[in-house]
């Protein structure tokens, strides 16, 4: 594995303490804050908009986490309709071959295209697209590392099994609140073992047709105590849920949706609400090493809604899209060990990382 050097953080805005203020916010909230100022005319210059759009695209779609953590290995018995659906998924994907311990690690690489989308009725079709690529390493499976490069901007995120973190060139590296959680990208059909683990305690929420396919619906909602652990002095996560749509015909995951509502209030400012919804269509399952079925393509559409006092419209909604294809998947990567998943030094020195380790999260 090649050595990785942390990228130098760039100031959000020159002067006026904006860089320090940005660092006090979480990475996503800081990007959204600057982008909202740009849309409202707070930043001059036509050239600033494409750069801001790309930052928001990467902040929302590049490295989002699952809202729920991996669970301890549960006994393999069917006690509910939801568990029956997951057993069908296990059988169809062949992920039992990964769960028996024979596979310790995974590697995947692929290509992505990110774009802002026009609102319905706005005319002009889709927005400008940004091409890029990504690579993902995973170790049994709570340790992972993803690196993505799009249009000259590179972001990375990882987990050492205890704490998840993210690094961007505009905010540096920071630990995520809430301890270690799986990468959402792994849930998009790429890692059937993680998908089965995440949805093993879901509730069966009925049936729905998705893109012409009859699907079982499994729903997970994050509890209040967990949401509280994600919040800080300026950002309160009000709700976050995850829904999986599993084909009745094939047993495969066909669609993944999650939605998060966050209340942001800086000192002396009115409260602002951000609602982020991401829906991913998963397709092109192919058998790889040993016959395990892995999805090789998909599309995610994100809706980012902003509302609150001072917003010109009652609800400002931005739509963005990611399409991806997987070029290569391999299991049991030679030489891949825990040392490849050590967080950047600035994350290890942070108070949030120390607190997470001390709390056993």
């Amino acid at each position: 594995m090649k050595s990785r050097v942390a990228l130098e953080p760039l100031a959000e805005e020159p002067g006026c303490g904006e860089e320090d203020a940005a660092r006090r916010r979480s990475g996503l909230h800081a990007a959204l804050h600057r982008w909202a100022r740009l849309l409202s005319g707070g930043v001059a210059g036509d050239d600033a908009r494409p750069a801001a759009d790309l930052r928001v695209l990467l902040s929302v779609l590049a490295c989002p986490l699952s809202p729920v953590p991996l669970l301890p290995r549960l006994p393999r018995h069917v006690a509910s309709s939801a568990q029956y659906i997951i057993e069908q998924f296990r059988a169809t994907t062949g992920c039992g071959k990964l769960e028996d311990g024979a596979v310790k690690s995974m590697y995947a690489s692929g290509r992505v295209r990110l774009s802002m989308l026009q609102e319905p009725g706005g005319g002009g079709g889709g927005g400008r697209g940004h091409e890029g690529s990504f690579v993902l390493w995973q170790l049994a499976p709570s340790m992972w590392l993803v690196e993505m490069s799009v249009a000259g901007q590179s972001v990375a995120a990882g987990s050492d099994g205890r704490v998840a973190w993210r690094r961007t060139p505009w905010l540096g590296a920071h630990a995520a609140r809430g301890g270690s959680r799986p990468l959402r990208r792994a849930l998009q059909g790429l890692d059937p073992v993680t998908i089965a683990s995440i949805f093993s305690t879901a509730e069966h929420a009925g049936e729905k047709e998705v893109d012409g396919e009859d699907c079982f619906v499994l729903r997970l909602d994050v509890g209040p105590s967990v949401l509280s652990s994600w919040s800080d002095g300026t950002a309160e996560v009000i709700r976050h849920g995850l829904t999986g749509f599993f084909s009745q015909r094939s047993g495969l995951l066909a669609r993944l949706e999650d939605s998060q509502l966050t209340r942001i209030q800086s000192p002396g400012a009115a409260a602002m609400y951000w609602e982020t919804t991401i829906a991913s269509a998963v397709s092109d399952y192919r058998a790889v090493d040993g016959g395990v079925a892995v999805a090789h393509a998909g599309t995610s559409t994100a809706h980012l809604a902003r509302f609150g006092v001072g917003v010109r419209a009652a609800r400002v909604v931005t739509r963005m899209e990611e399409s991806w294809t997987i070029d290569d998947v391999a299991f049991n990567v030679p030489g891949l060990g825990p040392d490849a998943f050590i967080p950047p030094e600035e994350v290890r020195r942070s108070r949030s990382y120390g607190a997470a380790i001390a709390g056993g999260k």
Side-chain angles (χ1 to χ4, degrees):
M1 302 293 291
K2 63 181 181 180
S3 62
R4 297 176 179 81
V5 179
L7 298 173
E8 287 297 324
L10 302 179
E12 286 287 290
E13 290 292 334
C16 302
E18 181 70 16
E19 180 180 1
D20 292 337
R23 290 183 180 282
R24 287 193 295 270
R25 305 182 187 99
S26 70
L28 174 57
H29 297 147
L32 296 179
H33 174 80
R34 183 184 185 279
W35 183 68
R37 289 183 60 233
L38 178 63
L39 293 183
S40 62
V43 179
D46 294 338
D47 293 339
R49 176 62 183 269
D53 284 354
L54 179 57
R55 288 186 182 186
V56 173
L57 284 165
L58 291 171
S59 295
V60 174
L61 290 171
C63 309
L65 301 179
S66 160
V68 291
L70 281 170
L71 297 171
R73 184 93 173 264
L74 298 177
R76 296 285 295 278
H77 65 272
V78 177
S80 68
S81 56
Q83 290 173 338
Y84 170 80
I85 294 167
I86 291 303
E87 284 302 311
Q88 291 295 104
F89 173 78
R90 284 191 171 104
T92 303
T93 58
C95 71
K97 301 170 185 177
L98 307 183
E99 293 175 316
D100 63 8
V103 174
K104 303 295 184 182
S105 60
M106 182 186 75
Y107 159 85
S109 63
R111 289 164 287 142
V112 296
R113 186 179 190 275
L114 305 176
S115 58
M116 290 288 185
L117 301 179
Q118 297 287 344
E119 284 301 302
R128 176 185 176 186
H130 303 278
E131 307 283 345
S133 60
F134 70 91
V135 61
L136 169 67
W137 293 271
Q138 186 166 284
L139 184 64
S142 60
M143 298 183 185
W144 51 265
L145 176 66
V146 61
E147 297 178 329
M148 179 180 289
S149 179
V150 177
Q153 295 276 21
S154 296
V155 299
S159 170
D160 62 358
R162 296 173 295 181
V163 175
W165 56 270
R166 181 166 63 170
R167 184 182 69 217
T168 68
W170 54 90
L171 285 175
H174 55 275
R177 290 183 172 270
S180 177
R181 286 177 278 152
L183 183 70
R184 189 188 190 279
R185 192 166 299 279
L187 301 183
Q188 296 168 184
L190 194 56
D191 180 0
V193 173
T194 299
I195 295 169
S197 173
I198 288 293
F199 283 100
S200 60
T201 60
E203 293 185 2
H204 181 204
E207 302 175 10
K208 184 176 181 179
E209 183 177 305
V210 175
D211 297 329
E213 190 87 10
D214 291 330
C215 293
F216 297 114
V217 182
L218 297 186
R219 174 74 181 177
L220 288 162
D221 287 297
V222 180
S225 61
V226 176
L227 293 177
S228 178
S229 71
W230 296 352
S231 303
D232 58 25
T234 60
E236 176 191 3
V237 183
I238 298 174
R239 61 171 167 80
H240 200 164
L242 182 70
T243 305
F245 300 83
F246 293 81
S247 169
Q248 296 181 20
R249 177 183 57 83
S250 67
L252 297 170
L253 177 68
R255 186 178 179 88
L256 185 72
E257 295 181 356
D258 65 277
S259 179
Q260 176 176 319
L261 178 62
T262 304
R263 179 181 184 271
I264 302 176
Q265 185 168 18
S266 301
M272 187 68 61
Y273 293 86
W274 291 93
E275 184 176 36
T276 306
T277 303
I278 306 176
S280 301
V282 182
S283 61
D284 194 16
Y285 281 86
R286 304 181 202 171
V288 296
D289 289 359
V292 179
V294 171
H296 280 65
T299 302
S300 289
T301 301
H303 290 80
L304 186 62
R306 179 171 60 101
F307 51 96
V309 177
V311 179
R312 293 176 181 176
R315 187 179 181 89
V316 178
V317 180
T318 299
R319 297 168 61 237
M320 56 193 80
E321 184 177 87
E322 176 198 58
S323 59
W324 74 88
T325 56
I326 302 299
D327 295 323
D328 191 23
V329 179
F331 298 112
N332 286 331
V333 182
L336 188 64
D339 288 349
F341 303 92
I342 297 174
E345 184 179 357
E346 58 190 300
V347 173
R348 300 197 305 272
R349 292 199 313 259
S350 67
R351 285 180 295 179
S352 57
Y353 183 81
I357 298 301
K361 297 179 180 179

